[in-house]
Amino acid sequence: MNNHMLEISREYARCYDEYRSYYDVMCAMIDYKKIYTTIKSMGIGKLFIYGASYLGVMLYRALQSSQDVIALVDKKGVSVIDLPEINVIDINKFRSMYIDESVIVTVLRYGNAVLSDLSSFIPMHNIYMLGEIAGATI
Amino acid sequence: MNILYLGSGGPYSLGVKKKILGQFKALNDAFDTAYLADRHLGVAYLRRDQRRIVDKNLSLTKEDYYRIVIKWIINYNINVIYIRYPFANIFFIEFLENIRPIIDKILIEIPTYPYDDHGLSRDIVIPDLYYRNQIKHYVDFIVTFSGDETIWGIPCIKTHNGVDIDEVPLRNYSAHNGVKLITAASLSSWHGLERVFIGLAEYYTKRDDVSTHVSFDVIGNGDALGQYRTLVSELSISDKVCFLMDMSGNEFDEMFDNADVAIGTLGGYKIGLERFSPIKTAEYCARGVPFIYAYNDERFATDLDFVRRIPNDDSPVDLEAIIHMNELLSIDISLSSRMRSYAVENLSWHKMMEPIIRSI
């Protein structure tokens, strides 16, 4: 296999995994009841949702009735969907509001960069990745 | 010496989950420290005893996952890695290449072999076919349940599937009329349950006065559920067969309390499986429920009275023979405890992992 073919093979495997992860997480997010129960069983109370894209909104919908979501956080403070009933704040406002609440990161593709940013002012034990909420494997 | 058990990435069926945890427990008892790594829904987890999470990381792709695992191997001083085969692709081969210089022993378990006829998706099969022949350059042993001496040019350690005895309660049996058959499976066509359904239909249609009533509880869900339901309806035995989906915990255990005979895999012939050691028959044994199966299983000697091996073909199950087997066994009040003792001595995960641990 020449280098060109090798790179195609690598890109194929990468994309396959990436889209599969998106698909699996979105499927798991459909079960609002399970998401709500998992969050409660993990002892998570008041929380911020990082990421105001589709997954962030799905998580918000799952937790809407609990009144535990303080705000959705987005780098630019804008959601992909109009959500009049909840604050969508930008990262600067989030920094000023944050005290000791939990944060669930719903950003997947650039998740590591987000985790790195957040860990500069939030203790790691308060940060959860969406996959943890949607269901651990073992 | 520290060992890392590397999962192939979930989601796993309940049986596979139990298997991984049973194997991990045995490794945990044999090594200074055992870690369990796995990945699901974009998150990689590293666990220690009692499944306690000691590290986690975002891992959207297998490429990310392997990169994270290499970091864990270095940070947690891992000497030995036991890999549940994830099917080969370029990232897996690169992972093996990267860990070879920093790991003393690399073992890969292939849960089912051969697997080429198992209807895997092309996305998995094509890269696997291409890359699996490179594995021999990096791996010390393949752990197999198939009985092969070598696979892909790599020497094999032969073992069998076992059971975590502590997790499986002994059945609490009370005498009753009739014969209750039971099975628990992630229903696939190779479970061959149509052989029982046809056997049941023949049993009820061949005679006018049925003295022993036979019923069959099928616990589980899977690809073959629809076709099984249709067949049961066509054979007019819907009142004899009960399909129970998604059952677990106490409810699941209680189903076995009054079961007389459990049904193991009966359709291995469809996918070329002659030699096999499924987890569920080990569990039936630990529960103390006699069972039937249709393959060569070296864990059970042919003279054991609580198991019956039937031909590995499409012939219907002979219900008369099952009823006779049950009659002989039902008078033995020590049957369940006898089966339990057999499981403790021969089928525990600690026993099954012995040849693997010795090779390290």
Side-chain angles (χ1 to χ4, degrees):
Chain A
M1 194 181 273
N2 62 35
N3 284 345
H4 180 64
M5 286 300 289
L6 199 67
E7 202 37 56
I8 289 173
S9 172
R10 193 176 274 119
E11 192 55 26
Y12 174 83
R14 200 176 282 134
C15 290
Y16 175 81
D17 281 355
E18 202 170 296
Y19 287 107
R20 177 147 186 203
S21 288
Y22 291 144
Y23 178 78
D24 288 346
V25 172
M26 289 191 92
C27 283
M29 292 299 296
I30 290 168
D31 193 346
Y32 283 4
K33 196 176 165 190
K34 190 178 169 195
I35 299 291
Y36 179 82
T37 314
T38 306
I39 284 185
K40 289 294 153 197
S41 71
M42 291 169 88
I44 297 173
K46 290 289 179 192
L47 63 99
F48 288 93
I49 294 174
Y50 192 102
S53 192
Y54 294 103
L55 287 171
V57 173
M58 282 176 90
L59 180 61
Y60 170 65
R61 295 279 183 230
L63 304 177
Q64 201 169 5
S65 62
S66 72
Q67 311 275 315
D68 283 336
V69 182
I70 302 166
L72 270 73
V73 184
D74 185 80
K75 214 168 184 177
K76 293 175 182 167
V78 185
S79 172
V80 291
I81 293 169
D82 190 27
L83 294 167
E85 71 275 27
I86 184 85
N87 276 337
V88 181
I89 59 175
D90 66 22
I91 188 76
N92 293 327
K93 188 160 186 200
F94 176 47
R95 274 177 182 270
S96 64
M97 280 175 75
Y98 183 78
I99 303 171
D100 187 33
E101 301 86 355
S102 298
V103 181
I104 301 174
V105 178
T106 65
V107 177
L108 296 182
R109 179 170 281 171
Y110 303 107
N112 279 322
V114 171
L115 289 174
S116 172
D117 281 355
L118 295 182
S119 62
S120 66
F121 65 99
I122 300 172
M124 276 310 285
H125 65 262
N126 277 353
I127 304 174
Y128 297 89
M129 288 164 266
L130 188 59
E132 294 179 79
I133 307 301
T137 175
I138 294 285
Chain B
M1 206 174 229
N2 299 334
I3 188 165
L4 174 68
Y5 186 117
L6 187 66
S8 52
Y12 301 115
S13 67
L14 186 62
V16 173
K17 221 180 253 190
K18 284 181 187 172
K19 171 179 174 174
I20 292 173
L21 292 174
Q23 291 179 312
F24 178 62
K25 206 190 250 184
L27 293 175
N28 197 38
D29 290 344
F31 285 82
D32 295 328
T33 313
Y35 295 91
L36 171 61
D38 210 354
R39 166 180 175 262
H40 185 46
L41 295 175
V43 184
Y45 302 90
L46 184 70
R47 296 166 195 269
R48 272 194 61 181
D49 39 68
Q50 304 300 316
R51 293 188 266 166
R52 183 168 51 90
I53 295 172
V54 291
D55 217 328
K56 63 184 181 186
N57 217 310
L58 199 66
S59 146
L60 209 52
T61 65
K62 280 185 186 158
E63 185 185 25
D64 297 338
Y65 180 48
Y66 293 136
R67 202 180 298 131
I68 292 160
V69 171
I70 291 171
K71 196 178 80 183
W72 286 341
I73 286 172
I74 296 165
N75 292 350
Y76 292 89
N77 298 316
I78 305 294
N79 314 97
V80 178
I81 188 165
Y82 185 95
I83 303 169
R84 185 179 161 86
Y85 188 53
F87 298 104
N89 70 2
I90 182 147
F91 298 126
F92 185 60
I93 296 300
E94 288 177 349
F95 168 70
L96 294 176
E97 193 180 355
N98 285 324
I99 64 169
R100 183 66 276 183
I102 54 172
I103 286 276
D104 296 339
K105 285 268 164 58
I106 301 176
L107 295 90
I108 293 181
E109 174 196 307
I110 303 180
T112 307
Y113 183 84
Y115 55 80
D116 288 339
D117 295 332
H118 281 217
L120 295 164
S121 81
R122 287 163 60 89
D123 303 316
I124 290 171
V125 170
I126 293 170
D128 185 70
L129 271 173
Y130 183 81
Y131 285 106
R132 68 189 183 193
N133 290 321
Q134 298 180 33
I135 291 174
K136 61 176 174 283
H137 302 305
Y138 312 105
V139 170
D140 296 290
F141 295 108
I142 295 273
V143 175
T144 183
F145 306 92
S146 67
D148 289 272
E149 297 292 338
T150 60
I151 292 177
W152 309 325
I154 304 162
C156 290
I157 300 169
K158 290 182 269 186
T159 186
H160 302 284
N161 279 310
V163 60
D164 185 350
I165 309 285
D166 299 337
E167 296 292 318
V168 181
L170 186 66
R171 73 169 170 171
N172 182 18
Y173 186 77
S174 54
H176 53 258
N177 292 327
V179 175
K180 293 184 178 181
L181 308 179
I182 193 167
T183 195
S186 51
L187 304 174
S188 294
S189 69
W190 54 272
H191 287 118
L193 296 187
E194 69 282 355
R195 299 182 63 188
V196 184
F197 301 143
I198 296 168
L200 260 175
E202 285 183 356
Y203 174 73
Y204 277 100
T205 52
K206 270 185 185 168
R207 50 193 58 72
D208 299 328
D209 56 332
V210 170
S211 56
T212 306
H213 282 278
V214 183
S215 61
F216 186 21
D217 290 329
V218 180
I219 305 172
N221 202 344
D223 297 343
L225 178 63
Q227 73 190 60
Y228 284 154
R229 276 188 192 280
T230 305
L231 181 62
V232 164
S233 172
E234 283 170 2
L235 293 168
S236 304
I237 51 167
S238 299
D239 56 333
K240 315 285 187 303
V241 180
C242 185
F243 289 99
L244 302 146
M245 294 181 288
D246 300 327
M247 197 175 260
S248 61
N250 289 342
E251 201 183 17
F252 180 83
D253 294 333
E254 283 165 12
M255 288 299 297
F256 284 88
D257 281 348
N258 283 318
D260 294 295
V261 178
I263 307 296
T265 300
L266 304 182
Y269 70 93
K270 295 180 189 177
I271 50 171
L273 274 182
E274 275 296 331
R275 189 179 179 279
F276 196 29
S277 65
I279 299 164
K280 71 176 163 193
T281 37
E283 280 195 8
Y284 295 154
C285 188
R287 286 181 189 279
V289 184
F291 53 92
I292 65 166
Y293 60 90
Y295 45 83
N296 178 13
D297 191 335
E298 290 173 9
R299 298 171 301 174
F300 303 107
T302 47
D303 59 349
L304 290 171
D305 59 348
F306 53 77
V307 297
R308 178 177 289 257
R309 184 178 165 190
I310 66 170
N312 192 11
D313 59 27
D314 63 355
S315 59
V317 172
D318 179 357
L319 264 293
E320 293 284 2
I322 301 297
I323 291 165
H324 182 60
M325 173 191 179
N326 184 55
E327 278 168 0
L328 293 175
L329 292 173
S330 59
I331 52 174
D332 178 1
I333 52 166
S334 67
L335 172 71
S336 292
S337 55
R338 200 154 51 82
M339 290 182 72
R340 181 78 168 188
S341 300
Y342 185 88
V344 170
E345 283 165 28
N346 301 287
L347 305 175
S348 73
W349 274 118
H350 283 77
K351 184 89 185 164
M352 297 310 178
M353 295 300 278
E354 268 175 17
I356 298 155
I357 292 163
R358 268 202 308 272
S359 77
I360 300 166

